[in-house]
Amino acid sequence: MLNRYRENVKGYLEAIVKPLAKAGVTPNTITFIGLLISLLGAYLFYLQRPRLAAVILLIGSAIDALDGTLARMTGKTSRFGAFLDSTFDRISDGAVLFGIALGNLADWRLTFLTFMGAYLVSYERCRAELAGSGTLAVGIAERAERLLILMAFSLAGAEYVKWGVYIVGVLAWITVFQRMWAAYQRLKE
Ligand SMILES: CC(C)CCC[C@@H](C)CCC[C@@H](C)CCC[C@@H](C)CCOC[C@@H](COP(=O)(O)O[C@@H]1[C@H](O)[C@H](OP(=O)(O)O)[C@@H](O)[C@H](O)[C@H]1O)OCC[C@H](C)CCC[C@H](C)CCC[C@H](C)CCCC(C)C
Ligand SMILES: Nc1ccn([C@@H]2O[C@H](COP(=O)(O)O)[C@@H](O)[C@H]2O)c(=O)n1
Ligand SMILES: [Mg+2]
Ligand SMILES: [Mg+2]
């Protein structure tokens, strides 16, 4: 859903990456730094510091939107970079939910169901696109939405994190079925 605003923020993202491009920073370096920062956010959830975790996660997630911008701006897009970007997103998504569960900020069983839903959303897109569906960036809880909801509830305090996890879980599972339907529509023989 928020992907539609990509064009609106493109100018801002390009302004941020311009000095990085001049400095010769590679997209994969940005992707790696983004993961490290997101993992720090996950660790802060484990330490039961959800407000700080949310801010760190926002920066880590924002950097996730920067790596592709840098790649396109410098003509350095690569197939491995696309693979790395998506793979690191899964590691980050999983680490954040793991940190929340380990930090007892939400019920681990419900957190696992949210984890399943989030991974399925991303897997469906990958598998359908491989089968020739075309870009399957559909549904109400793509990655940007999941992250923003989790961050918003985390900024409200430790006792609200669980509601963020559970709401993301419900929306992610709705998205699972939205993408299943979209894939059926596009791939049915
Ligand atoms: C360098 C930093 C210090 C700069 C810090 C600046 C920040 C403080 C300001 C943030 C501004 C804004 C850029 C924040 C972004 C929000 C963040 C949640 C965006 C996350 O982007 C994720 C990205 C999707 O990932 P990507 O395409 O790289 O990967 C795909 C994804 O993994 C797919 O998974 P799924 O299918 O969706 O589950 C995989 O399937 C794909 O394979 C994979 O490629 O999305 C980018 C979309 C847009 C760029 C996001 C639009 C942003 C909104 C307009 C943000 C609205 C503003 C917010 C309220 C932020 C508030 C900021 C303020 C400071 C409080
Ligand atoms: N290290 C990277 C990271 C990304 N890309 C390219 O950008 C696309 C993702 O763009 P976002 O704005 O969503 O981050 C990705 O599919 C690649 O085409 C890259 O080449 N190298
Ligand atoms: Mg990215
Ligand atoms: Mg990404």
Side-chain angles (χ1 to χ4, degrees):
M1 214 160 59
L2 281 176
N3 260 304
R4 68 179 65 141
Y5 296 113
R6 208 179 258 277
E7 275 314 301
N8 303 59
V9 296
K10 187 178 170 203
Y12 298 106
L13 296 175
E14 286 177 349
I16 294 175
V17 300
K18 202 164 274 174
L20 298 173
K22 282 208 179 83
V25 178
T26 65
N28 289 354
T29 304
I30 300 295
T31 303
F32 185 64
I33 291 169
L35 174 66
L36 291 183
I37 294 175
S38 296
L39 291 178
L40 174 61
Y43 183 60
L44 287 164
F45 274 115
Y46 165 65
L47 295 180
Q48 299 186 345
R49 303 286 308 276
R51 289 194 173 95
L52 183 56
V55 172
I56 298 296
L57 192 56
L58 175 65
I59 291 175
S61 307
I63 289 173
D64 181 19
L66 297 180
D67 52 5
T69 305
L70 177 63
R72 288 183 289 271
M73 182 189 269
T74 55
K76 289 182 181 170
T77 57
S78 68
R79 289 181 301 166
F80 178 67
F83 167 82
L84 206 65
D85 187 1
S86 299
T87 302
F88 281 4
D89 290 349
R90 302 297 73 80
I91 295 173
S92 163
D93 290 352
V96 165
L97 291 170
F98 187 56
I100 287 171
L102 224 52
N104 292 312
L105 292 174
D107 178 275
W108 70 269
R109 289 152 298 199
L110 296 177
T111 304
F112 183 75
L113 290 176
T114 296
F115 169 84
M116 270 182 74
Y119 264 52
L120 271 172
V121 165
S122 311
Y123 179 78
E124 285 178 311
R125 173 173 171 183
C126 175
R127 190 62 188 81
E129 290 179 357
L130 184 67
S133 70
T135 303
L136 200 80
V138 301
I140 53 172
E142 292 194 279
R143 183 156 189 263
E145 292 82 0
R146 300 196 303 268
L147 286 170
L148 287 172
I149 292 168
L150 204 52
M151 288 183 236
F153 278 84
S154 301
L155 285 173
E159 64 279 19
Y160 295 97
V161 173
K162 59 179 172 293
W163 298 114
V165 172
Y166 305 156
I167 288 169
V168 166
V170 171
L171 296 179
W173 276 98
I174 291 170
T175 306
V176 166
F177 293 105
Q178 287 178 302
R179 288 192 171 183
M180 208 174 285
W181 177 248
Y184 169 72
Q185 291 296 314
R186 298 185 194 186
L187 299 174
K188 62 187 176 190
E189 305 310 14

